[in-house]
Amino acid sequence: MKLNFKVYLTKEVNAFAAPDGSIRVYAGLMDLMTDDELLSVIGHEIGHVKHGHSLNALRTAYVASAGRKAASSAGGVVGNLADSQLGALTEALVNNQFSQSQETQADDYGLEFMKKYKYKAAAMETAFRKLAKMGGNSSFFDKMMSSHPDAAGRADRVKDKLGKAG
Ligand SMILES: [Zn+2]
């Protein structure tokens, strides 16, 4: 799996992963999180790439926005897109809502990622608590929550998993 990372210098609290392994983190998220918490979010995003969720999301967005004809010609779909189309698709990825089970898969991947590299796995719980606490009072948060719903529930789940493990 090839990954690349970039940070967007905006105050928005967000992160997303494109199917080619591009992980994008918004500076607002980095301000909010500790290093370990940030790593847990990144681990989660890598999980979406690994499980092919982002590719499915992009495919859906592409078919919806750019027409079925080019999409069905297969192969390097992204490579053939004009910049403006790419922008629209990035937007679609950012706003994409993964299913509950996809989020759970990505959370599990993120947790394993934290353990594997000996980062503080418990940081994933506090990362979700921070997101949950922010709920409802800012527009940028709405975006993060629309793509990553139920932060409090997921914090509980992570806590539960870690409790059982250790
Ligand atoms: Zn997610």
Side-chain angles (χ1 to χ4, degrees), residues 52-131:
H53 301 159
S54 302
L55 182 60
N56 290 335
L58 184 66
R59 217 174 257 144
T60 304
Y62 185 80
V63 169
S65 73
R68 289 166 181 79
K69 196 179 137 200
S72 64
S73 73
V77 171
V78 172
N80 295 328
L81 293 177
D83 283 354
S84 59
Q85 287 174 304
L86 263 185
L89 291 175
T90 301
E91 191 67 25
L93 272 178
V94 171
N95 293 319
N96 174 61
Q97 182 162 354
F98 292 119
S99 71
Q100 187 85 38
S101 68
Q102 287 177 322
E103 290 304 334
T104 301
Q105 276 187 321
D107 286 351
D108 286 350
Y109 186 92
L111 262 187
E112 290 310 311
F113 168 87
M114 295 299 280
K115 289 181 196 164
K116 181 177 172 187
Y117 293 101
K118 309 234 184 306
Y119 301 130
K120 266 176 57 191
M124 183 174 252
E125 185 199 342
T126 53
F128 285 137
R129 299 263 180 242
K130 279 184 181 175
L131 291 174

Side-chain angles (χ1 to χ4, degrees), residues 44-45 48 53 98 102-103 106-107 147-149 154:
H44 170 97
E45 295 301 332
H48 280 311
H53 301 159
F98 292 119
Q102 287 177 322
E103 290 304 334
D107 286 351
S147 59
H148 293 95
R154 289 162 66 200

Side-chain angles (χ1 to χ4, degrees), residues 15-53:
F16 69 91
D20 67 347
S22 300
I23 309 282
R24 297 294 178 264
V25 177
Y26 291 49
L29 183 70
M30 301 179 83
D31 291 340
L32 180 71
M33 302 286 175
T34 66
D35 286 355
D36 281 311
E37 288 166 351
L38 189 62
L39 284 165
S40 75
V41 174
I42 288 170
H44 170 97
E45 295 301 332
I46 294 172
H48 280 311
V49 177
K50 185 74 182 175
H51 286 292
H53 301 159

